[in-house]
Amino acid sequence: MENFRRDIAKLYLVMVVSGLTLILTFYLFGFRPLVDRLHEEHEEEIVHYLDGGLWLLQGMLDKHYDLARQSASRTAIRNRQIAYLDGKVSKEELVAFSAPKLSDALGANREAVGISRFDPGGNLLFSVGVALPEHIVNECNLRELDEIRMLGRRQVGNEEYLVYCSNIADKGERKVGADILVMDDVGIEKIVESTLDEQGCYAIVKDGEIIYWPHGGHNVITVDVLETYLDSGEVDEAHIVKSRYVEGHNWQLYAVVNRDRFFADIDRQLLILIGILLVVLLVVILLSVIALRPIIRTLLREKELFELSHQDGLTGLFNHAYMQTLLDNELERARRFERPLSVLLFDLDHFKQVNDNYGHQAGDKVLRHVGEVILSEIRQIDLAARYGGEEFMVILPETDAEGAQVLAERLRCAISQKTVSTSAGEVHVTISVGVATCNSCYEKHDVIEVADNALYTSKANGRNQVTRFTLEAV
């Protein structure tokens, strides 16, 4: 019964292990690849964010170039400047005519904060808005300038602005002067300061140097992440870095994203899915246990009834009645396949003296001990029973006379060499064994009678010995 209960526990264990194996297999070969795929697809959103930021930035820079081009190509101001160069008007007349118009242009474009006009030799004619430091004028190299060129971010007074240098030419492409346009970059800063749903940030890089980086307190990325990437080309596992070139400019727009924050929603949903699967598994196991419990109870009751009707309650061996059935079955099998069959019949020598001298409880302990020895010595296919009182029977299928003799001697020695400890003292017992072997068709009572005669012979010859008979000899 105890073994049966252990088998039931193993059944439950197999159910749990099978469920966990199923979950593990699903995770490794289904769920994990799915997570990687979802991460890859979700990572494409960074590119969409980046493309959106690039579109805004590209549009803003193109607008700056258009403003620089418009200020340099205003026909009335350019013609008046040509007249000045030809000596037809004075510098004062040029300034009086041109400065108000350029001031109006600044007023019409909030991002333009200053325009300075120069002659072909790079000499300042006039300026409106913020004043330019001399080093910026020199940096534009106005004499060699033949196109619109962005210097980039420069310190002008107490602020930083974007500076554009543009050439002014007449219809014949003769150089007639140059403009330096100063633009407020607040729009670009707004693009950079806008976070990627609080998961990352934009940055603008020129020639490997970060020129725009968000400084708001909401930024979740530190600048050293991008600096390390620019220096080594590598990014740590906690971040994702993507970039796009700004067309027509030596700028790159970067998106730096915190990986955990970016994938947080997906990972949260996937964890919920795993949790649901685990709950489903637990429910299935629980329902299986609930469904199996009545069946298991029935099996346990049947097992108990089987043991009560087929086993000896003291030794755990089969009882006399069931052994008769087992012997019938084995004899039939031996006859059908023409195989040998042996039967051992033995009892304890002077067992009545054990009960008389040590008590019946000691006698019961001796009987249990003998049952344990029998089970430890016989093969798995052998069948053992308490045949009655202190008498035992062992059926040995597929065993000839010599094999039966060997096993009988082994049993006799194992029992005689051990003593049984009882509350009344140490008890030493021996057994007398009768062996019957048949090699053809015989009836059950014949086999038992031969084994019993062999047992009687062992007793008559002094006990604690084995006597072997075969049915052909009788």
Side-chain angles (χ1 to χ4, degrees):
M1 177 61 71
E2 188 62 31
N3 291 335
F4 190 68
R5 293 182 184 276
R6 279 198 295 267
D7 290 339
I8 293 173
K10 289 178 183 178
L11 172 63
Y12 288 139
L13 180 61
V14 167
M15 291 173 56
V16 174
V17 171
S18 299
L20 293 177
T21 302
L22 179 64
I23 288 292
L24 181 61
T25 302
F26 170 75
Y27 177 81
L28 292 178
F29 301 103
F31 183 78
R32 189 67 255 177
L34 173 64
V35 170
D36 294 339
R37 180 61 180 168
L38 289 175
H39 279 189
E40 289 176 6
E41 293 185 356
H42 192 51
E43 197 168 317
E44 291 298 317
E45 291 189 15
I46 300 176
V47 177
H48 297 322
Y49 279 123
L50 197 58
D51 289 342
L54 179 64
W55 181 80
L56 293 173
L57 180 60
Q58 188 77 57
M60 195 163 296
L61 293 178
D62 290 345
K63 180 181 178 183
H64 289 182
Y65 269 77
D66 289 341
L67 288 174
R69 191 177 297 109
Q70 290 171 14
S71 67
S73 62
R74 285 177 177 267
T75 303
I77 299 176
R78 184 181 59 189
N79 290 340
R80 185 56 60 97
Q81 186 159 338
I82 293 172
Y84 164 71
L85 294 176
D86 292 340
K88 295 179 181 180
V89 297
S90 65
K91 180 179 180 180
E92 289 75 14
E93 289 175 320
L94 172 65
V95 172
F97 178 83
S98 302
K101 295 185 180 300
L102 291 179
S103 294
D104 291 342
L106 289 183
N109 296 280
R110 294 181 180 180
E111 295 179 6
V113 296
I115 301 177
S116 297
R117 176 63 60 91
F118 297 85
D119 65 17
N123 300 308
L124 179 65
L125 296 176
F126 60 89
S127 66
V128 294
V130 299
L132 289 174
E134 186 175 350
H135 69 87
I136 294 181
V137 178
N138 295 333
E139 193 175 354
C140 272
N141 193 14
L142 298 177
R143 291 185 179 183
E144 304 295 331
L145 186 67
D146 59 1
E147 60 180 355
I148 299 175
R149 182 163 63 93
M150 181 177 67
L151 290 184
R153 256 187 141 187
R154 296 294 184 270
Q155 187 76 31
V156 180
N158 296 325
E159 301 291 339
E160 286 188 339
Y161 298 102
L162 282 177
V163 178
Y164 294 84
C165 308
S166 57
N167 182 54
I168 303 175
D170 62 12
K171 294 180 179 181
E173 299 300 324
R174 178 178 62 126
K175 185 179 183 69
V176 296
D179 275 346
I180 297 180
L181 179 64
V182 181
M183 301 292 294
D184 194 342
D185 61 354
V186 64
I188 297 176
E189 288 182 341
K190 284 182 178 179
I191 293 175
V192 174
E193 292 290 340
S194 64
T195 60
L196 303 177
D197 292 340
E198 297 186 355
Q199 298 165 351
C201 66
Y202 291 119
I204 298 175
V205 174
K206 179 183 179 183
D207 298 328
E209 180 183 354
I210 301 173
I211 58 176
Y212 286 96
W213 179 264
H215 300 290
H218 55 266
N219 187 23
V220 297
I221 309 293
T222 56
V223 69
D224 59 290
V225 174
L226 183 55
E227 289 176 341
T228 300
Y229 177 79
L230 294 174
D231 291 339
S232 64
E234 298 179 355
V235 64
D236 59 66
E237 295 182 357
H239 298 89
I240 302 171
V241 176
K242 301 283 186 181
S243 66
R244 285 285 188 272
Y245 280 97
V246 182
E247 184 178 353
H249 307 279
N250 192 23
W251 283 16
Q252 285 177 278
L253 180 64
Y254 277 83
V256 186
V257 176
N258 182 288
R259 186 181 296 272
D260 290 340
R261 286 175 176 262
F262 186 71
F263 294 123
D265 289 340
I266 285 182
D267 291 342
R268 188 181 303 110
Q269 294 299 321
L270 293 174
L271 285 175
I272 292 174
L273 176 60
I274 282 289
I276 292 173
L277 289 175
L278 289 174
V279 170
V280 170
L281 174 62
L282 291 175
V283 169
V284 169
I285 293 175
L286 180 61
L287 292 177
S288 300
V289 170
I290 293 174
L292 287 174
R293 285 184 69 183
I295 299 174
I296 292 172
R297 285 199 197 98
T298 301
L299 292 175
L300 285 172
R301 283 195 295 269
E302 290 180 357
K303 181 68 174 177
E304 289 173 354
L305 292 173
F306 177 86
E307 291 179 353
L308 289 173
S309 60
H310 296 82
Q311 288 185 334
D312 174 58
L314 182 62
T315 62
L317 304 177
F318 293 123
N319 58 27
H320 178 95
Y322 188 55
M323 200 60 169
Q324 300 295 319
T325 302
L326 293 176
L327 184 55
D328 286 333
N329 295 337
E330 290 302 326
L331 284 170
E332 176 61 28
R333 192 175 69 85
R335 282 193 291 268
R336 184 185 307 119
F337 298 105
E338 298 183 353
R339 302 298 299 168
L341 175 71
S342 295
V343 174
L344 308 184
L345 191 64
F346 63 90
D347 64 9
L348 305 185
D349 297 329
H350 306 297
F351 184 70
K352 183 177 183 303
Q353 295 178 9
V354 174
N355 284 331
D356 293 341
N357 295 333
Y358 296 93
H360 287 281
Q361 289 186 347
D364 290 345
K365 190 169 185 180
V366 170
L367 291 173
R368 283 193 297 270
H369 167 72
V370 171
E372 292 170 359
V373 173
I374 293 172
L375 292 176
S376 67
E377 295 294 334
I378 64 175
R379 302 167 302 177
Q380 194 169 14
I381 64 171
D382 298 334
L383 305 168
R386 184 184 177 193
Y387 202 61
E390 71 274 18
E391 194 171 25
F392 295 85
M393 176 183 283
V394 179
I395 302 174
L396 305 176
E398 303 287 338
T399 307
D400 58 15
E402 288 75 14
Q405 177 80 25
V406 171
L407 179 59
E409 284 291 347
R410 190 166 71 237
L411 273 174
R412 185 189 66 79
C413 292
I415 293 172
S416 66
Q417 290 173 0
K418 296 179 181 180
T419 58
V420 183
S421 299
T422 69
S423 58
E426 298 291 324
V427 180
H428 177 265
V429 292
T430 60
I431 60 172
S432 297
V433 186
V435 179
T437 300
C438 61
N439 296 292
S440 58
C441 297
Y442 289 93
E443 295 300 326
K444 176 176 63 176
H445 67 271
D446 294 331
V447 176
I448 296 175
E449 182 179 0
V450 169
D452 193 50
N453 290 336
L455 171 60
Y456 179 79
T457 301
S458 293
K459 287 180 174 292
N461 292 336
R463 304 177 188 274
N464 190 23
Q465 58 185 274
V466 176
T467 301
R468 182 183 74 196
F469 289 163
T470 60
L471 267 67
E472 289 85 354
V474 176

